[in-house]
Amino acid sequence: MHRFQTAGALAALAFLLPSPASADIGLGPRLAVVRGDTVAGSSGDRYTGGVLRARVSPRTALELALDWRAVVNQSLNERTRDYPIQGTLLLYPVRASLSPYLLGGIGWYSQRVESLDAASTVLDSTTTRKFGYHAGFGGELRLGRRAAVHVDYRYTFIRFGADQVTAEPADTASGGLRIPVVASLAEKLKLSHEGSMWTGGLTVYF
């Protein structure tokens, strides 16, 4: 049900956007693997969702993504629902069949924790919301005029002017991605972050 609601929301937003040239607005599913911290060895959480991409110029695009995840903890009689929303600006240095891009944007991250009884009926619930910036890089492979697949890596909950830079997890095997150029830039700008995520999806343009 929630997946259909996500797709419906994205479709509605597509009609609200200005109408650019043909095949410049795309809609499709995406998967995300999210690490909520920078501790080496921490596992990633998998999300499913949808993405809306709209090109505003040959070198720029806007993206709106909605993801979803629900986990039940039987021992605590608890269900946790996470539904983050991200708005992102994509910058393409070059346009080709395979186009790299840089990205940056803002996100709203909501989590609802529900207390359950033995019949899985909700007894009580608490919702928390967080706001944060993200940035990263990726690539988009065009599959003709009407479709494309993309993969990107994002640092989440970025902070500026931090005393301790944590822009890159030390353990790449646990899901972190270490890039020397990014690490050097983070040190100069005093950037830190609280997590990271891989995303991948298929976009159909119309």
Side-chain angles (χ1 to χ4, degrees), residues 43-114:
S43 60
D45 299 322
R46 291 186 176 140
Y47 290 71
T48 59
V51 62
L52 172 68
R53 287 190 169 187
R55 291 182 188 153
V56 295
S57 77
R59 298 285 177 90
T60 60
L62 294 175
E63 177 193 271
L64 179 65
L66 293 85
D67 296 316
W68 170 261
R69 174 176 174 264
V71 176
V72 176
N73 188 324
Q74 299 288 356
S75 62
L76 297 178
N77 290 327
E78 210 173 64
R79 177 168 56 207
T80 302
R81 302 178 187 268
D82 294 289
Y83 36 99
I85 300 174
Q86 289 184 335
T88 307
L89 173 65
L90 310 176
L91 301 176
Y92 296 83
V94 295
R95 277 293 195 178
S97 296
L98 177 59
S99 301
Y101 59 82
L102 301 175
L103 64 90
I106 55 178
W108 297 265
Y109 304 85
S110 299
Q111 183 179 82
R112 183 177 182 181
V113 179
E114 301 171 335

Side-chain angles (χ1 to χ4, degrees), residues 52-206:
L52 172 68
R53 287 190 169 187
R55 291 182 188 153
V56 295
S57 77
R59 298 285 177 90
T60 60
L62 294 175
E63 177 193 271
L64 179 65
L66 293 85
D67 296 316
W68 170 261
R69 174 176 174 264
V71 176
V72 176
N73 188 324
Q74 299 288 356
S75 62
L76 297 178
N77 290 327
E78 210 173 64
R79 177 168 56 207
T80 302
R81 302 178 187 268
D82 294 289
Y83 36 99
I85 300 174
Q86 289 184 335
T88 307
L89 173 65
L90 310 176
L91 301 176
Y92 296 83
V94 295
R95 277 293 195 178
S97 296
L98 177 59
S99 301
Y101 59 82
L102 301 175
L103 64 90
I106 55 178
W108 297 265
Y109 304 85
S110 299
Q111 183 179 82
R112 183 177 182 181
V113 179
E114 301 171 335
S115 299
L116 309 175
D117 62 12
S120 296
T121 302
V122 178
L123 302 176
D124 189 19
S125 66
T126 302
T127 300
T128 58
R129 295 179 177 87
K130 295 176 65 176
F131 169 86
Y133 299 98
H134 60 270
F137 52 89
E140 181 182 72
L141 175 63
R142 293 294 304 217
L143 305 175
R145 281 182 48 82
R146 298 291 178 178
V149 293
H150 66 270
V151 176
D152 57 50
Y153 184 81
R154 309 179 182 209
Y155 299 103
T156 55
F157 295 104
I158 293 176
R159 296 194 302 270
F160 302 89
D163 294 331
Q164 181 179 3
V165 176
T166 59
E168 305 204 288
D171 185 0
T172 57
S174 66
L177 184 63
R178 181 171 181 80
I179 298 179
V181 174
V182 177
S184 176
L185 180 61
E187 290 175 0
K188 292 178 181 179
L189 298 178
K190 294 185 177 181
L191 298 178
S192 66
H193 76 101
E194 295 180 10
S196 61
M197 62 189 297
W198 285 99
T199 79
L202 168 68
T203 307
V204 178
Y205 288 90
F206 55 94

